[in-house]
Amino acid sequence: GAGVSQSPSNKVTEKGKDVELRCDPISGHTALYWYRQSLGQGLEFLIYFQGNSAPDKSGLPSDRFSAERTGGSVSTLTIQRTQQEDSAVYLCASSLEAGVRGYTFGSGTRLTVV
Amino acid sequence: DAKTTQPPSMDCAEGRAANLPCNHSTISGNEYVYWYRQIHSQGPQYIIHGLKNNETNEMASLIITEDRKSSTLILPHATLRDTAVYYCIVRASGGYQKVTFGTGTKLQVIP
């Protein structure tokens, strides 16, 4: 597609429920990143995928968070047993492996845990 | 990644030039300076990048000091639509790197 697509754009869930957030990167972009942005805060790195290499999961805040990338394209970020502190905007970005223009971000998924 | 420091906020009168500074004193020789901006409720948007020479595109100009330890993003004629948070990051041009975006500079363009 023309840009990075994220769905849903908004998600309200009850505390304790699991949620799945989807990211569809730009076609041909081999690198994919997930970030989290809490209200009024900067972007917090969560996880990175690059081709067939093992992902960098060092930013995941707890074992309730996991992500996968199927076929080197679409990625899903899963949050299990959601907590109120998980409320944030979850942003996905993709880039060419050697791209000098950096990342292209999606519009994000706004997650609200009630 | 080299860390960057930016002022938390700035105001600029509409129609005037907005000059946003960024310090990156530990930048490495192969690291570029990138600028992004985030308008409320949207994902960050690429603006411009440079290595050591000054750069200009349709959105902005980037001035990098000779020692590369700091840079300035210039919006030549700020409009109300330029109100956003501006992020300065440094990263190498290729290969994987875990990039951290700080809290950036919140630019408020005033009518």
Side-chain angles (χ1 to χ4, degrees):
Chain A
V4 177
S5 178
Q6 291 189 246
S7 61
S9 55
N10 283 284
K11 176 71 176 178
V12 180
T13 189
E14 293 181 350
K15 178 181 174 181
K17 300 285 189 181
D18 298 351
V19 294
E20 285 189 352
L21 312 179
R22 176 187 168 104
C23 173
D24 200 342
I26 291 174
S27 179
H29 279 194
T30 57
L32 187 147
Y33 306 77
W34 282 97
Y35 285 84
R36 177 170 73 173
Q37 187 171 35
S38 301
L39 188 62
Q41 302 299 309
L43 280 72
E44 175 189 5
F45 169 82
L46 296 178
I47 190 169
Y48 162 82
F49 295 92
Q50 172 62 68
N52 295 321
S53 302
D56 179 349
K57 304 179 181 180
S58 61
L60 295 178
S62 77
D63 58 8
R64 296 186 295 105
F65 288 73
S66 63
E68 63 178 19
R69 189 179 184 191
T70 54
S73 181
V74 172
S75 177
T76 302
L77 177 69
T78 301
I79 309 174
Q80 296 179 310
R81 306 180 302 281
T82 52
Q83 304 294 314
Q84 288 185 329
E85 61 263 28
D86 299 334
S87 295
V89 175
Y90 290 81
L91 290 159
C92 175
S94 70
S95 70
L96 290 171
E97 180 176 4
V100 295
R101 282 179 62 93
Y103 312 123
T104 300
F105 281 86
S107 296
T109 294
R110 180 175 298 278
L111 175 67
T112 303
V113 182
V114 297
Chain B
D1 293 327
K3 293 183 178 179
T4 62
T5 55
Q6 300 175 252
S9 64
M10 292 181 63
D11 290 340
C12 177
E14 187 178 17
R16 303 296 294 268
N19 297 284
L20 294 96
C22 180
N23 288 321
H24 30 80
S25 59
T26 59
I27 191 170
S28 299
N30 67 338
E31 289 181 317
Y32 287 71
V33 180
Y34 286 81
W35 283 84
Y36 292 80
R37 74 178 181 184
Q38 186 174 28
I39 297 172
H40 183 62
S41 300
Q42 298 181 22
Q45 173 194 25
Y46 166 85
I47 301 173
I48 198 168
H49 75 279
L51 183 62
K52 55 182 179 181
N53 297 324
N54 297 337
E55 302 288 344
T56 296
N57 64 19
E58 66 279 4
M59 293 181 68
S61 294
L62 174 60
I63 308 298
I64 303 174
T65 58
E66 190 170 346
D67 63 8
R68 303 210 322 124
K69 292 185 178 181
S70 65
S71 60
T72 301
L73 179 75
I74 301 173
L75 308 178
H77 306 286
T79 71
L80 298 179
R81 288 174 294 182
D82 292 323
T83 292
V85 177
Y86 288 78
Y87 298 97
C88 165
I89 66 169
V90 294
R91 68 185 290 259
S93 64
Y96 166 60
Q97 51 242 270
K98 183 172 74 178
V99 175
T100 300
F101 287 73
T103 52
T105 296
K106 181 172 175 55
L107 175 68
Q108 182 70 50
V109 180
I110 303 168

